[in-house]
Amino acid sequence: MFERSRSDVFVQIDLDGVTIDSEAQKRPTYQRAVKELFGADCTAADFADVLGFPLAETIERLSSKFGSMPFLAEDPREKEPELSVGRIILRHRFELDKAVPLQARPGFTRVLDTLDQFDIPRGVVTSGEILKAGQALTTVGLWDRFDDVVGIGSTCPAGTTANRAKPDRQLYDISAARAGAQEARRFGIEDSVPGVTAAHNSKAEVIYLHDPRVAPHSERAARLACLVTDSVEEVCDFLEDQLNC
C-alpha cells in the first residue's frame, strides 16, 4: 500500500460508472423493472437524476418520479403497502442485476496504465459499502491495480469511520488521510453530480468523465470540473500533461 515513488500526487477514482461499467449496465435493468412492475416504457435518461446518489435518496427520487404512474398490471403495493414505489423498483432491479455480470468500463484500464507509467498512487472512493466494493473490484480483476479502497465502513488513521455518502466530502477526505495525501495535489475522476461535488468540496481537481450511455451531460457537474470529457483517451492525455509538469 502506498509504496509508489510519487508522493506529491494522489488520484482518487469513483467505482460505479468510472472504474466498473455498472451504471451503463444498470440502465436496462431499471427500465426492465419499471416495465415489468408497471407496464410502462422509459428511457435510460429517465434515471439520470438517481445517478450517484446514496440508497435512501435514490429510493426517494424514484418514488417521486414514478409514484403517480398508472398501473397496467396488479399494483405491487397492494401486497406490500409498507414499501414505497422507489423501494419496490429498486428491489426488483437488484434481482434483475444478478443476471448481469460486472465488467470494467471499456478502456478505463488505460487510465491505470498511465498512472503506472508515472508511478502515481491511486485509490477508489465509492459511496458503496467497502466489502461490496472489494468484491466488485476482484470480480473485474482490478483489485490489485489500486493502492486503497474507501467506501462506507472504511476508517481513517484518526479512527473516523466513513458513514456519509457523496455528495458529502467525507469519503474523499478519509481517502486522502489514509494515503497521507492531504497536502498532495489530488485529482478526482467522477461521472455524477454527487461524485463531482464531493471531490470538488474536498479540494481535489475534478475530472468529469461523462458517459452519454447513462445520462445527459450535466452543466452543474461541468462547472466544478477542470476537465469535462466522455473520452478515456482525453483523460489519459490530460493526466500525462499534468504529471509531466
Side-chain angles (χ1 to χ4, degrees), residues 180-191:
Q182 296 96 323
E183 304 302 321
R185 185 181 186 189
R186 288 187 286 132
F187 294 94
I189 307 178
E190 289 281 354
D191 69 328

Side-chain angles (χ1 to χ4, degrees), residues 2 5-12 120-122 169 172-173 175-188 199 202-205 243:
F2 304 114
S5 62
R6 292 286 293 267
S7 60
D8 58 321
V9 179
F10 183 46
V11 178
Q12 298 167 285
I120 301 297
R122 77 299 304 256
R169 62 182 283 178
Y172 266 88
D173 289 348
S175 170
R178 284 167 55 124
Q182 296 96 323
E183 304 302 321
R185 185 181 186 189
R186 288 187 286 132
F187 294 94
S202 184
K203 310 304 180 185
E205 299 175 51
L243 297 173

